[in-house]
Amino acid sequence: NKLFMQEAIGAEYGEGFETFRQDGPLKVDVDFLNDRLQEGFLQRIRYAMKPDEAYGLIFSWDNVVADTRTSKVNAWKQLASEEGKEIPEADDVQRMMLLAGADHVLHKVLFWEKAQSEVERLKLRFSQIYYNNLLTLMKPVDGLEEWLDAVSTARIPCAVVSSLNRRNMVDALERMGLLKYFQAVVSEEDGMESIAHRFLSAAMKLDRKPSKCVVFEDDPRGITAAHNCTMMAVALIGTHPAYDLVQADLAIGNFNELSVINLRRLFANKGSTFMDRQKQIIKDAPPKRKLTVDTI
């Protein structure tokens, strides 16, 4: 159901999640991870020699790894065909079908059914069609495999996050030939309640502090969640136009525009971004000139 509802962004004001250890529950939030995942002495030496290895890359599944937008549109069209309904061709309707939850689409966009029992039946059938469409995915978005190959050569660890269950994700990554590039997978089984929690979980699995991670997203809400986690955000233009993604640290049309040097540039001005605390510098006022007879 998380696939068809608008999830919370998460991580506002230090919000975190709990994980369980042998000595009891452990509260995990952004500040905790940035402090706990500090590099050790030998790691600092290694990262000084090979700075790219200090980064961690986190990829959202939807429309960043796989073109789920087409799968979702085709699922709505097949459902409409089975129910003898028609889908309006208006751009705003098509956009809401992609971005809104299934409940909202059925009630407020398509106006198909009013009874809740019938809505639940349609939602269940829609999810079945959508999952069947995911089974036919055979290739990733353009340029992604080449980009993953480049960062793999630079020994930068990668993670993929989604609300899908692990089995479907791993199967899809294997079919697309991408599973070897991802060191971590965050899925439905991880029990994360928000977008930001998934990003923090991915940072833990990659053993990289959040402030050294870069999130690849196509949704403004995901970009906000990344910034709440002190992560950098690279936006993929497509589902949302470029003017909706201005808060991202970098916006690209496809992965062919990227190189590893872009990652270094994202962190080159670290300390001057809006996420970091700044010290206010108060300059001393210049001394007043004393007027003398010669000055006059």
Side-chain angles (χ1 to χ4, degrees), residues 253-280:
N254 58 64
F255 286 100
N256 292 322
E257 301 175 15
L258 283 176
S259 65
V260 176
I261 194 67
N262 293 121
L263 298 179
R264 300 175 195 167
R265 288 174 178 167
L266 284 176
F267 294 93
N269 297 321
K270 189 175 168 121
S272 61
T273 61
F274 72 93
M275 293 178 287
D276 295 328
R277 294 186 178 94
Q278 297 283 328
K279 288 185 177 180
Q280 185 177 2

Side-chain angles (χ1 to χ4, degrees), residues 9-161:
I9 294 174
E12 297 94 340
Y13 309 109
E15 173 199 353
F17 59 91
E18 281 191 346
T19 183
F20 292 92
R21 301 289 177 87
Q22 291 182 349
D23 54 351
L26 177 67
K27 176 79 174 192
V28 176
D29 60 17
V30 179
D31 292 335
F32 175 86
L33 288 179
N34 276 326
D35 180 63
R36 181 61 64 91
L37 296 178
Q38 288 280 1
E39 302 91 351
F41 177 70
L42 293 178
Q43 281 182 315
R44 285 199 298 271
I45 295 176
R46 181 177 181 85
Y47 294 159
M49 299 172 62
K50 298 182 177 181
D52 298 330
E53 294 184 17
Y55 307 135
L57 306 187
I58 301 172
F59 295 81
S60 177
W61 168 262
D62 291 323
N63 304 313
V64 175
V65 174
D67 183 14
T68 57
R69 175 175 48 186
T70 302
S71 297
K72 187 174 285 190
V73 169
N74 290 340
W76 279 118
K77 289 181 177 178
Q78 183 175 337
L79 182 63
S81 176
E82 292 178 0
E83 298 294 323
K85 307 282 188 181
E86 291 187 359
I87 294 178
E89 297 294 332
D91 291 339
D92 58 337
V93 173
Q94 299 284 331
R95 181 180 174 86
M96 291 302 295
M97 287 168 55
L98 288 173
L99 304 178
D103 275 331
H104 183 81
V105 173
L106 292 169
H107 277 301
K108 303 292 181 66
V109 180
L110 298 178
F111 305 103
W112 283 0
E113 293 294 341
K114 298 292 184 182
Q116 189 60 34
S117 59
E118 191 65 13
V119 169
E120 292 298 325
R121 182 187 69 82
L122 291 174
K123 281 173 57 181
L124 178 60
R125 179 55 186 152
F126 172 65
S127 65
Q128 291 171 343
I129 298 171
Y130 178 74
Y131 271 101
N132 288 336
N133 289 346
L134 290 181
L135 296 177
T136 64
L137 287 175
M138 300 301 294
K139 62 178 183 177
V141 299
D142 291 340
L144 176 63
E145 187 170 2
E146 292 78 7
W147 168 241
L148 288 174
D149 192 57
V151 297
S152 176
T153 302
R155 300 178 64 86
I156 304 174
C158 299
V160 58
V161 300

Side-chain angles (χ1 to χ4, degrees), residues 159 166 183-187 190 200-208:
R166 186 175 300 274
Q183 286 72 44
V185 173
V186 178
S187 61
D190 290 281
L200 292 177
S201 178
M204 288 181 62
K205 292 185 178 187
L206 293 178
D207 195 26
R208 296 294 186 272

Side-chain angles (χ1 to χ4, degrees), residues 2 5-12 15-17 30 58-62 99 160-163 186-187 190-203 215-229 231 233 240:
K2 284 185 178 181
M5 61 186 292
Q6 195 172 56
E7 292 182 273
I9 294 174
E12 297 94 340
E15 173 199 353
F17 59 91
V30 179
I58 301 172
F59 295 81
S60 177
W61 168 262
D62 291 323
L99 304 178
V160 58
V161 300
S162 173
S163 295
V186 178
S187 61
D190 290 281
M192 298 295 106
E193 296 180 355
S194 68
I195 304 170
H197 288 179
R198 287 206 295 270
F199 294 160
L200 292 177
S201 178
V215 171
F216 293 83
E217 260 285 357
D218 76 316
D219 193 323
R221 294 171 57 81
I223 294 167
T224 301
H227 284 162
N228 284 351
C229 296
M231 299 176 179
H240 293 268

